[in-house]
Amino acid sequence: MIKILLSAGHGAGNIHNRGGLYFNEGDNNYYYSLILKTELEKYNNVVVNLVRKNINDNPQINDRSKMGEGYDLYFSIHSNAAGSTVRGTEVWDSVETPNKTLAQAICDATADLFNHNNRGVKHREGQPGFNYYGELRFNKAKSAMIVENGFHTNHDDCLFFKNNHELIAKAQAEVIAKHYKLDKRKIEDEISSWAKDAQQWVIENRVSDGTNPKSNVTREQLWQMLYNYHRRVNGNG
Ligand SMILES: [Zn+2]
């Protein structure tokens, strides 16, 4: 089982405004973390937890670092700030527990999607041998990294991040899954081969919409399906 902790940077609302043109960074990071969690959970053998379970949560940097213990991956979600013309994605990989392969793959896939500069994987030391960034310093996760998804101070980067959570999350989840050799969860809507003709028939005859093949049926749903069928054979359906 692979354990991943998503740390959406900063706190909620205007009070934590980091100068984003179309969002408060802390809000956007939080909403993005929910989508990334959903996308990661489409794979088997993975547990995904959130540092910010609610949008108003904002643990101290040192506490966030401590929360990494027991995880395979501590994945910190941010967007960057600079002058309005600066664009690009960069990943700050842990000095203490580097995972350059994964950090590079995340950086490449994200920069490709944004179609902007790939600023690459970086390491920043504070005390020799230790991370400068507090979230990564003393973080006991096996791998820890801060992903700067574009610059929220640039119109194109900020808009792209805001409008493409699902696209970015799918790409980053795919990179993470590949790295940890996770298989995609089997779609529960897979129809048993023996039931395929019947499914086609209920849809064509408007007895049922043919969805949720493995779900239980309630009494009222059964009544409705019988009623649909009855109306159908009597020519009123
Ligand atoms: Zn940030």
Side-chain angles (χ1 to χ4, degrees):
M1 188 65 72
I2 297 297
K3 291 189 73 184
I4 298 171
L5 184 61
L6 302 180
S7 177
H10 315 291
N14 263 318
I15 197 170
H16 297 283
N17 189 356
R18 315 290 290 189
L21 295 173
Y22 300 102
F23 52 62
N24 287 314
E25 193 202 332
D27 294 355
N28 185 65
N29 291 336
Y30 171 76
Y31 293 127
Y32 179 69
S33 72
L34 302 183
I35 306 292
L36 183 55
K37 183 178 195 290
T38 300
E39 289 302 323
L40 284 165
E41 286 172 344
K42 290 182 179 171
Y43 293 85
N44 283 314
N45 299 318
V46 64
V47 172
V48 185
N49 289 323
L50 301 171
V51 161
R52 287 170 66 193
K53 291 191 171 60
N54 298 296
I55 192 164
N56 292 314
D57 294 345
N58 182 20
Q60 296 285 316
I61 291 292
N62 294 349
D63 291 331
R64 289 184 187 235
S65 167
K66 281 180 199 145
M67 291 165 87
E69 187 160 8
Y71 284 90
D72 294 281
L73 177 61
Y74 179 96
F75 193 89
S76 175
I77 298 161
H78 285 262
S79 51
N80 224 331
S84 65
T85 57
V86 183
R87 300 189 63 190
T89 288
E90 65 197 28
V91 177
W92 294 93
D93 186 21
S94 174
V95 171
E96 295 153 46
T97 55
N99 187 344
K100 180 91 194 286
T101 311
L102 178 58
Q104 189 70 58
I106 289 287
C107 197
D108 293 352
T110 309
D112 272 4
L113 265 187
F114 272 83
N115 193 23
H116 62 190
N117 300 326
N118 186 334
R119 294 164 62 96
V121 176
K122 301 174 178 186
H123 297 91
R124 188 166 176 190
E125 264 185 349
Q127 299 287 325
F130 293 96
N131 285 290
Y132 169 82
Y133 292 112
E135 262 190 284
L136 303 181
R137 196 184 315 128
F138 311 135
N139 195 313
K140 295 269 178 25
K142 285 182 193 150
S143 299
M145 59 190 67
I146 299 169
V147 183
E148 298 279 4
N149 299 282
F151 283 79
H152 54 238
T153 40
N154 172 272
H155 284 271
D156 293 330
D157 275 13
C158 192
L159 257 192
F160 187 87
F161 193 5
K162 180 174 184 274
N163 292 335
N164 292 283
H165 282 183
E166 197 174 314
L167 196 69
I168 300 164
K170 275 186 198 300
Q172 293 186 343
E174 199 175 308
V175 168
I176 292 167
K178 195 175 168 201
H179 183 83
Y180 291 104
K181 300 183 170 59
L182 306 174
D183 298 322
K184 199 114 194 206
R185 201 182 283 276
K186 236 195 167 165
I187 299 162
E188 291 199 282
D189 287 342
E190 198 106 57
I191 313 280
S192 306
S193 55
W194 54 263
K196 279 186 176 157
D197 290 350
Q199 182 205 26
Q200 203 61 40
W201 183 87
V202 294
I203 295 168
E204 277 168 11
N205 290 285
R206 285 183 266 156
V207 173
S208 154
D209 64 6
T211 60
N212 302 322
K214 308 289 197 240
S215 302
N216 293 330
V217 67
T218 61
R219 283 169 185 246
E220 62 182 8
Q221 285 172 326
L222 180 61
W223 302 337
Q224 188 64 47
M225 283 190 272
L226 288 169
Y227 185 53
N228 290 347
Y229 177 70
H230 177 75
R231 285 199 303 185
R232 195 78 192 143
V233 296
N234 286 290
N236 321 315

